[in-house]
């Protein structure tokens, strides 16, 4: 399986639950799976996370580990158009911009719905329309598997003990 990470997975992990400087085990664990080609960050998501001039632990970690984390693919326009049409076939420029990297994240997963899973902390909100649709709802419409950070942790069996030495 290849898990494709949404922006909120990394931002929430660092700023809410697993700060890189306090719980490096989580980030080492992610990196191991990235090196094994099981966790990746598409270009458009990578660019969303790295803001212009802000430098913090997350930015440094991303830059230092780009070779392992980065999904080295170009977007397939047919897949991207299918995703856009699930939001609405007539999205205007402002709506497209508000979707951000979500369109691309889902399009990369659409390339292989049997082997790719979108990881996002967005929750389903089926009543949302157009550019306000949430990733889980669009994934469901396209037959793409998705999970959140907690489910990823469980599926890939993250344990801080696997990084600590025996006492």
């Amino acid at each position: 399986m290849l898990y494709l990470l949404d922006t909120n997975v990394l931002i929430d992990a660092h700023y809410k639950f697993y700060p890189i400087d306090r719980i490096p085990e989580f980030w080492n664990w992610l990196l191991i799976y990235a090196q094994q080609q099981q966790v990746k960050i598409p270009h458009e998501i990578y660019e969303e996370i790295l803001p212009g001039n802000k430098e913090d632990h997350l930015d440094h970690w991303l830059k230092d580990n780009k070779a392992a984390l980065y999904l080295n693919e170009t977007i397939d326009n047919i897949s991207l158009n299918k995703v856009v049409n699930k939001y609405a076939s007539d999205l205007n420029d402002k709506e497209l911009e508000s979707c951000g990297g979500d369109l691309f994240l889902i399009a990369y997963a659409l390339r292989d719905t049997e082997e790719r899973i979108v990881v996002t902390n967005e929750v389903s909100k089926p009543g949302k329309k157009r550019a306000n649709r949430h990733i889980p709802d669009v994934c469901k419409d396209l037959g793409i598997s998705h999970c959140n950070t907690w489910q990823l942790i469980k599926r890939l069996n993250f344990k801080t003990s696997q990084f600590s030495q025996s006492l």
Side-chain angles (χ1 to χ4, degrees), residues 21-110:
D21 59 331
R22 297 186 52 84
I23 307 174
E25 297 89 352
F26 176 81
W27 301 93
N28 291 337
W29 169 78
L30 269 182
L31 189 56
I32 288 168
Y33 279 96
Q35 291 165 338
Q36 295 173 358
Q37 308 299 310
Q38 293 180 19
V39 170
K40 293 292 179 185
I41 303 169
H43 167 78
E44 295 78 5
I45 300 301
Y46 185 87
E47 292 298 319
E48 269 187 353
I49 300 168
L50 287 176
N53 58 7
K54 186 178 114 190
E55 289 285 326
D56 69 3
H57 292 290
L58 180 56
D59 294 331
H60 290 291
W61 184 80
L62 284 167
K63 289 174 184 175
D64 291 346
N65 298 297
K66 182 177 181 179
L69 295 164
Y70 197 79
L71 179 67
N72 193 16
E73 294 180 4
T74 56
I75 196 68
D76 170 30
N77 287 326
I78 293 170
S79 295
L80 184 60
N81 287 332
K82 285 181 185 178
V83 174
V84 169
N85 286 329
K86 287 300 176 184
Y87 280 83
S89 61
D90 61 344
L91 291 178
N92 61 42
D93 289 343
K94 185 177 179 180
E95 289 173 313
L96 283 169
E97 187 177 323
S98 74
C99 291
D102 295 359
L103 301 170
F104 297 91
L105 175 67
I106 298 167
Y108 285 113
L110 189 57

Side-chain angles (χ1 to χ4, degrees), residues 23-26 28-29 32 158-167:
I23 307 174
E25 297 89 352
F26 176 81
N28 291 337
W29 169 78
I32 288 168
F158 171 66
K159 297 177 187 175
T160 56
S161 63
Q162 71 195 83
F163 294 96
S164 62
Q165 297 178 5
S166 301
L167 297 175

Side-chain angles (χ1 to χ4, degrees), residues 117-157:
I117 298 173
V118 170
V119 184
T120 182
N121 289 333
E122 285 186 13
V123 295
S124 176
K125 300 244 184 195
K128 297 282 186 174
K129 302 290 182 204
R130 300 187 61 83
N132 295 320
R133 294 198 69 204
H134 285 210
I135 290 172
D137 301 315
V138 178
C139 284
K140 181 179 177 188
D141 289 350
L142 291 166
I144 299 168
S145 297
H146 61 88
C147 68
N148 61 35
T149 302
W150 306 112
Q151 292 164 325
L152 176 69
I153 285 170
K154 190 171 186 176
R155 289 177 186 189
L156 297 182
N157 199 28

